[in-house]
Amino acid sequence: MHRSDQLQPRPVPRRRPGGRPLGRLPLIAAVAALTAVLAACTAPGGVPADDPRNRPIDRFDTQELAWEGCEDYATTAQDDEVFAAVPTAECARLEVPMDYADREGATASVAVVRIPARGESLGPLLFNPGGPGGSGLIGTVAASALMSESAITERFDLVGFDPRGVGATEPAVDCRLTDDSPEAAALLQQLGSVTPSLTEADTTALAERCADGSGGMDALAHVGTRTTANDMDVLREALGEDELNFLGQSYGTRLGAVYAEQFPNRVRAMVLDGAFDPDLSSQDRLLASYVGFQSAFDAMAAACAAEADCPLGTDPAGWTPTLQSIIQPLGANPVPAADTELDFNLAISGVMAGLYLPELWPLIADGLREVQQGRGDQLLALANGLGGVSADGESSNQVDASLAINCVDEDLLTPDELVELRTDTFAQVPIMDPGAPADGPLRDKCADFPAHGELGIPYAQDIEGLPGTLVISITGDPTTPHANGIALAETLGSTLLTVEGGGHTVVARGASACVDEIAATYLIDLELPDEAPTCTL
């Protein structure tokens, strides 16, 4: 599930845990070089010699995965429960270069999971459930259960992995923001605010904390999407496949698009569900996502208004003002919630978490009624779920990893851009307005990270050699709006499957037989609809 990286629930302390035979390697056709100069500049097929597709085969590409039980891959007690619920899941570790520019240097260890197909397998389908920062292991295992009747999991081994810096992959990102120090508490307060005020000292301390807990600045610099896309290609080799089948959801659509850009001739089939727009700047992407939440709130309020006891009332003009009247006072006067307090930032995080899926909308109404009665347990539970915090207060490293990956991927925002983003957000998304003036300095939280802007926006442009792909987009998606899906499909030359309804991503939820049939037919038989299809949730 994609999570807004501008508004982050506060993490809590976490704990850490103490093959298939190699198939054919890709064949590169040998052709004679016309001249020494030509040989130095290009490779067969006209691909530049320094293109990553032409790197020499080495120990990373010839490794075999040693599949085993997943007990040692759990990073939280909740992970243990997820693995236990799917006993067919098996795990392994993939060795990759820390820095692909230095393949003889330090290495990282990527955690991989596989759930065998229920029937005759066509091979692996690599799956990323979203993020950034979300566990691919846990998301894949959970998705396999939801897709237990799907033709996709009947014919494919579902394979997932924790991306760089995430979960059981080593080194994992840990920004050490829960050590009970005043400095950590102050940083947490700012990072969880819709109106953060960070100084140079703050951003320096944040980068240093993240580096100290994550294997150093060099490790922190190599958690970006482009590095993870390279890991995916090493994984493809280790799985013994010449071509990749990929299903990416939310952030996974960014990861898939970057893989397609870097390795177009190694894609067999690619389904991208809940799209990131590859043309949007960081500032525009965040604003578009926030606007989607405002639209989803209006739809939720309309459904709530049909109930007799809706805390938002029945007048559409009053829904947002009523929400503001309930949660804005929490900025100055938090209410008790579990063993902490619910303030405005946690409350709006909870509301936005509940807007991801229509099934969660009733929990928002329950939470608002509870706040009116002086408690905040329900909205806190929703906010914690969005941040990867379990019911017993144990946390994954989702928030920390999301911060680091976005910092490496995206360009820094200037103080003027941050002011503009804040102003535009409160004007277009009034549910996020805290109702209090924003004071203090504005500085991008990523300012002192060792790398940023490595993704390159726009990305995945003018790709040659990419086969037909499928983009799926829900018209009422709260965080990756339908316009994103249209844009990604146009950029990649994909078939666009439009899904009428609400919610964020659809394939791995088993929410639509229509969508599942189109996606399965494509993945299994490589057959795309002749015309842009539409399904309804």
Side-chain angles (χ1 to χ4, degrees), residues 184-201:
L187 284 172
L188 272 177
Q189 185 70 28
Q190 290 299 326
L191 292 172
S193 173
V194 297
T195 56
S197 177
L198 295 169
T199 65
E200 183 176 356

Side-chain angles (χ1 to χ4, degrees), residues 2 25 66 99 153 201 241 258 289 348 426 500 519:
H2 166 65
L25 294 175
D99 179 357
T153 51
E241 299 297 318
V258 170
S289 175
I348 190 58
F426 295 161
E500 300 285 348

Side-chain angles (χ1 to χ4, degrees), residues 458-502:
Y459 56 90
Q461 305 293 302
D462 303 319
I463 301 174
E464 296 182 3
L466 181 67
T469 54
L470 179 66
V471 170
I472 303 173
S473 181
I474 302 175
T475 56
D477 190 320
T479 186
T480 52
H482 185 49
N484 288 11
I486 295 172
L488 181 60
E490 290 178 348
T491 298
L492 298 182
S494 308
T495 296
L496 176 64
L497 169 55
T498 297
V499 184
E500 300 285 348

Side-chain angles (χ1 to χ4, degrees), residues 164-330:
R164 285 293 178 105
V166 175
T169 285
E170 299 170 350
V173 177
D174 182 357
C175 291
R176 295 184 175 176
L177 295 175
T178 55
D179 62 7
D180 296 325
S181 70
E183 180 183 64
L187 284 172
L188 272 177
Q189 185 70 28
Q190 290 299 326
L191 292 172
S193 173
V194 297
T195 56
S197 177
L198 295 169
T199 65
E200 183 176 356
D202 292 331
T203 59
T204 298
L206 176 62
E208 289 176 350
R209 281 178 171 273
C210 290
D212 288 346
S214 311
M217 285 289 183
D218 188 55
L220 198 62
H222 294 102
V223 298
T225 298
R226 291 199 175 275
T227 300
T228 293
N230 277 293
D231 292 346
M232 285 171 55
D233 202 56
V234 176
L235 178 56
R236 174 193 60 76
E237 290 276 12
L239 291 168
E241 299 297 318
D242 292 336
E243 296 177 314
L244 183 74
N245 299 301
F246 182 73
L247 168 59
Q249 298 191 292
S250 193
Y251 165 76
T253 68
R254 169 175 281 184
L255 183 57
V258 170
Y259 183 89
E261 176 190 335
Q262 296 182 181
F263 307 102
N265 296 323
R266 294 178 184 170
V267 174
R268 175 186 176 272
M270 183 170 285
V271 177
L272 304 176
D273 177 13
F276 276 38
D277 183 342
D279 296 316
L280 288 183
S281 67
S282 303
Q283 183 177 354
D284 291 339
R285 178 182 65 82
L286 287 169
L287 183 60
S289 175
Y290 296 156
V291 170
F293 279 107
Q294 181 69 49
S295 297
F297 170 78
D298 293 338
M300 181 279 295
C304 178
E307 305 295 329
D309 59 346
C310 176
L312 297 171
T314 58
D315 180 9
W319 291 335
T320 292
T322 300
L323 176 73
Q324 292 173 329
S325 72
I326 296 172
I327 66 173
Q328 282 183 349
L330 299 176

Side-chain angles (χ1 to χ4, degrees), residues 76-155:
T76 68
Q78 190 168 258
D79 292 356
D80 287 324
E81 296 174 5
V82 173
F83 283 132
V86 183
T88 58
E90 48 193 0
C91 292
R93 288 201 168 272
L94 178 78
E95 186 183 16
V96 293
M98 179 70 73
D99 179 357
Y100 278 88
D102 181 16
R103 296 175 74 93
E104 299 301 319
T107 63
S109 175
V110 174
V112 184
V113 68
R114 178 176 68 181
I115 299 95
R118 301 191 316 279
E120 183 178 357
S121 177
L122 293 173
L125 171 63
L126 195 59
F127 175 57
N128 180 276
S135 170
L137 265 66
I138 300 307
T140 298
V141 174
S144 72
L146 294 173
M147 300 171 71
S148 61
E149 302 298 322
S150 171
I152 296 174
T153 51
E154 176 76 19
R155 299 304 307 279

